Amino acid sequence: MSDSHMNDDDDFSFLVKKALEMGAADAKIIPASHICVEDRVALKCKSGCISYGKKLTCPPYVPTPDQFRKIVSEYQYALLVKYLSPAVAEPDIICSIYRYWLDPKAPEDKKRKAQDFWTDHFNGTKNFSPMMLELERLAFNAGYTFALAFMNGSCRLCETCNVEKGLCLHPTQARMTEHAVGINMKKTAEAAGMPIRFPVIGHPELMALLLID
């Protein structure tokens, strides 16, 4: 960070204000050293995510947790942003949302409710990524040239990612998701005083992050 920038949260108040103006439920500046990076988070991607290996913004095409620890140590601050999904699912549906959504043997009524949830969620959260990109742009233009946004959830810019050719078709818009590089957002948010409700009750709480320097 250049000497012209103050080393306190007030210096980033414009980012917090903009995040709230764009619809964030909460936003807070935290020291980058408070970002919790764990190997087991990326392991969870490999063992349970349908996007693993299918998107260039997901493992194994992104920095490993060990590599990302070194990267994040070069940053001083981060903006933590919380959004609320407009989707709501009944407790007995949300607790097994992927099974009811993907399992062809799932009961039809539960499959329909799971599909309705994801339709509402994807339609209602499609603007969250552009919001984070706008925050990244604002930070960059304010002199924080290494500002970099991370998204909640895997990239949805293309119906099928250009993985086979190894070249992203939307490099100015596509960003990695936090857990892909090992960020434990649950721990990071809790330490920042912005805990995420889990198990989900009502509207899912989504977290995104902007590295600043």
Side-chain angles (χ1 to χ4, degrees), residues 68-95:
F68 187 69
R69 287 187 191 94
K70 297 175 183 178
I71 293 170
V72 80
S73 70
E74 299 176 0
Y75 283 84
Q76 295 192 55
Y77 297 99
L79 174 68
L80 196 60
V81 185
K82 177 184 284 190
Y83 298 102
L84 295 181
S85 169
V88 178
E90 298 171 8
D92 65 327
I93 299 297
I94 199 68
C95 68

Side-chain angles (χ1 to χ4, degrees), residues 11 14 27 37 70 77 103 121 131 138 143 163 165 174 196 208:
D11 196 31
F14 72 103
V37 182
K70 297 175 183 178
Y77 297 99
D103 187 352
H121 178 76
M131 289 177 185
L138 289 173
V163 168
K165 294 185 178 180
I196 306 169

Side-chain angles (χ1 to χ4, degrees), residues 6 8-21 27-29 79 135 138 144 212:
M6 298 181 295
D8 57 41
D9 292 358
D10 290 340
D11 196 31
F12 305 108
S13 60
F14 72 103
L15 293 174
V16 173
K17 179 181 178 182
K18 185 63 176 180
L20 297 175
E21 287 177 351
K28 188 174 185 179
I29 294 294
L79 174 68
L135 292 169
L138 289 173
Y144 303 98
I212 310 169

Side-chain angles (χ1 to χ4, degrees), residues 40-55 57-60 98 101-102 118 122 152-155 177 179-180:
R40 62 179 178 173
V41 177
L43 177 65
K44 189 73 172 178
C45 288
K46 186 173 183 178
S47 63
C49 182
I50 60 176
S51 294
Y52 181 82
K54 297 179 180 178
K55 299 185 179 184
T57 53
C58 290
Y98 279 102
W101 183 37
L102 300 172
W118 286 117
F122 289 144
N152 177 276
S154 61
C155 182
T177 185
H179 51 265

Side-chain angles (χ1 to χ4, degrees), residues 145-160:
T145 51
F146 287 96
L148 182 64
F150 286 77
M151 307 301 186
N152 177 276
S154 61
C155 182
R156 303 200 298 267
L157 289 173
C158 300
E159 185 173 344
T160 301

